[in-house]
Amino acid sequence: MEDEVQGRKRQTSSFEGVDRKLRRSENSGIPSTFDLPVDSQVVSQVVQYEPPSPLSARHYDLDTTEPISFSLKTLEELLSWQASDADFFNVATVPLANRQPPLASSRPRTLICHDMMGGYQQDRFIQGAEAKTAYAFYHWDYIDIFTYFSHSLVTIPPVCWTNAAHKHGVSVQGTFITEWRDGAKVCESFLAGEEAYRAVADKLVQIADYYGFDGWLINIENTLSETAVKNTPSFLRYLTDQMHGRVAGSLVLWYDSVLENGELKWQNELNDKNRVFFRSCDGIFTNYNWTEQHLEGMASDGAEQLHNVYVGVDVFARGDVVGGKFETDKVCAEPGIVPRLQQGQHQGLCGVFCRKGS
């Protein structure tokens, strides 16, 4: 009982102390903020960073400070890549949904290659963009694979595309591309030997696994030396095996460009000059200047695994091509074109370039 009384006394003393502090504040002559006009209570200040900005230009748009998706432009960037706290924004959160029949079945498939003005336009903004003209894709149930393309060395698909595709059971690929003289120098470096090409492949696997997408399109569009072209099939086999072991259902595709002798010469078909690369990964994406004779040749030659040959179609129909523009659908639908690849239970596939300004 005595303790309770003392407790009440201590409590009373405590409130009295607060009361005295309030009275001192009232008598101090400093007006309370609650007594000020409403407008005077708002403090507005523009914060400007002096260069260099504390934000990473790779991970954030420096004009808006919003997180963005990005590519890796050099071999050094690729080999030094390590996940950081800022990378978490780009990790896909939607797992690849089940689809019937599964992608691995021997059936016709459609691949969309997103090649829009160099990539990373309004779709680079992870939290959405206000632009009303941003490219969007709606018919996910009609396609099987979505490949995001840019002319950077390593194209990491923007996470908005990966999440949307996965929701509909569509596999997503990034792109590894080398081009022209600079690309040839990159290839001479990483295709010089086993240790070098394994280091590049290991990073590509880590990146796909970390960001949550499902494979790579390998596009070597430059001549290769004798050593480099000799090591290319080994690079493809190692990358494909590692991807299969790390990312379930993953695919590695080769683009129809370099020949087995290292010459850069698009074939527009699968043939003996590029078959070694096809056999080293999961499939080939042909160039889009093919004719019906190319398709007939592949079928008559008895090309193995025709269900892993993706016949390229340029939506913008540049050059002497079959289909394109508002007749793109006819390439896959009309008798005598892509269905000419039919052989037994296997059918050729359709790979569609959605290209603009690149």
Side-chain angles (χ1 to χ4, degrees):
M1 184 69 178
E2 183 178 354
D3 291 339
E4 292 180 2
V5 173
Q6 290 178 352
R8 285 196 295 271
K9 288 181 179 179
R10 284 195 295 270
Q11 188 176 19
T12 303
S13 299
S14 175
F15 285 124
E16 288 176 350
V18 172
D19 187 52
R20 286 196 296 270
K21 289 180 181 179
L22 290 174
R23 286 198 295 269
R24 281 200 300 271
S25 175
E26 291 171 358
N27 298 328
S28 65
I30 300 175
S32 168
T33 56
F34 295 105
D35 297 329
L36 296 175
V38 174
D39 292 342
S40 301
Q41 297 180 42
V42 179
V43 178
S44 178
Q45 182 180 6
V46 177
V47 178
Q48 294 181 331
Y49 294 114
E50 295 295 331
S53 170
L55 298 178
S56 164
R58 174 191 291 181
H59 301 96
Y60 298 94
D61 179 75
L62 297 186
D63 291 330
T64 65
T65 72
E66 294 181 36
I68 55 174
S69 296
F70 59 88
S71 62
L72 303 178
K73 297 178 173 56
T74 67
L75 191 59
E76 291 72 23
E77 277 189 281
L78 171 61
L79 293 174
S80 63
W81 177 86
Q82 294 288 341
S84 69
D85 292 341
D87 281 293
F88 184 74
F89 285 108
N90 278 289
V91 176
T93 58
V94 179
L96 180 60
N98 292 327
R99 191 164 189 168
Q100 295 299 329
L103 185 63
S105 61
S106 301
R107 60 177 177 83
R109 305 179 203 134
T110 300
L111 179 155
I112 290 290
C113 184
H114 179 289
D115 182 2
M116 182 66 68
M117 301 176 67
Y120 301 103
Q121 299 298 309
Q122 293 297 316
D123 55 359
R124 74 186 187 277
F125 290 101
I126 297 169
Q127 297 172 326
E130 296 181 356
K132 298 180 180 179
T133 57
Y135 175 76
F137 184 80
Y138 301 99
H139 305 293
W140 293 105
D141 52 328
Y142 294 134
I143 72 170
D144 302 281
I145 302 169
F146 181 90
T147 301
Y148 195 82
F149 182 92
S150 81
H151 290 278
S152 296
L153 178 67
V154 179
T155 300
I156 301 171
V159 66
C160 61
W161 286 113
T162 304
N163 283 332
H166 280 184
K167 180 179 179 180
H168 297 276
V170 174
S171 178
V172 178
Q173 289 187 313
T175 305
F176 179 81
I177 184 173
T178 62
E179 299 178 281
W180 316 119
R181 291 183 179 179
D182 289 341
K185 293 178 182 178
V186 170
C187 290
E188 290 307 304
S189 176
F190 88 89
L191 291 172
E194 182 177 359
E195 182 178 357
Y197 72 66
R198 284 195 173 205
V200 167
D202 287 342
K203 284 297 182 181
L204 293 177
V205 173
Q206 291 171 24
I207 287 171
D209 182 44
Y210 178 80
Y211 292 115
F213 58 96
D214 313 294
W216 293 98
L217 172 67
I218 306 299
N219 189 1
I220 306 297
E221 300 213 46
N222 48 260
T223 57
L224 295 176
S225 67
E226 182 179 352
T227 298
V229 75
K230 179 182 177 182
N231 285 325
T232 300
S234 298
F235 162 68
L236 290 172
R237 282 192 294 269
Y238 179 76
L239 173 61
T240 303
D241 289 344
Q242 295 301 309
M243 282 296 300
H244 290 177
R246 192 79 170 263
V247 180
S250 58
L251 288 175
V252 175
L253 301 181
W254 172 259
Y255 188 73
D256 160 32
S257 52
V258 174
L259 309 183
E260 62 179 357
N261 64 359
E263 181 184 3
L264 176 63
K265 190 173 183 180
W266 297 270
Q267 298 297 287
N268 304 296
E269 64 178 352
L270 172 65
N271 58 32
D272 290 337
K273 296 179 180 180
N274 56 25
R275 199 180 308 276
V276 63
F277 308 116
F278 170 74
R279 289 175 173 173
S280 300
C281 59
D282 293 309
I284 188 170
F285 192 159
T286 77
N287 195 48
Y288 44 84
N289 290 114
W290 50 269
T291 64
E292 291 188 41
Q293 287 69 40
H294 287 108
L295 305 185
E296 290 171 347
M298 283 189 283
S300 62
D301 288 344
E304 76 272 30
Q305 297 182 339
L306 284 177
H307 55 283
N308 290 324
V309 177
Y310 296 78
V311 178
V313 179
D314 186 357
V315 169
F316 288 88
R318 287 170 290 188
D320 185 15
V321 299
V322 177
K325 296 185 177 179
F326 290 107
E327 296 185 350
T328 300
D329 62 313
K330 296 182 179 180
V331 176
C332 296
E334 284 191 357
I337 303 185
V338 170
R340 283 182 181 268
L341 289 178
Q342 293 182 2
Q343 182 182 22
Q345 295 180 350
H346 301 317
Q347 293 187 356
L349 314 178
C350 185
V352 181
F353 293 85
C354 295
R355 309 201 331 161
K356 181 179 180 182
S358 59

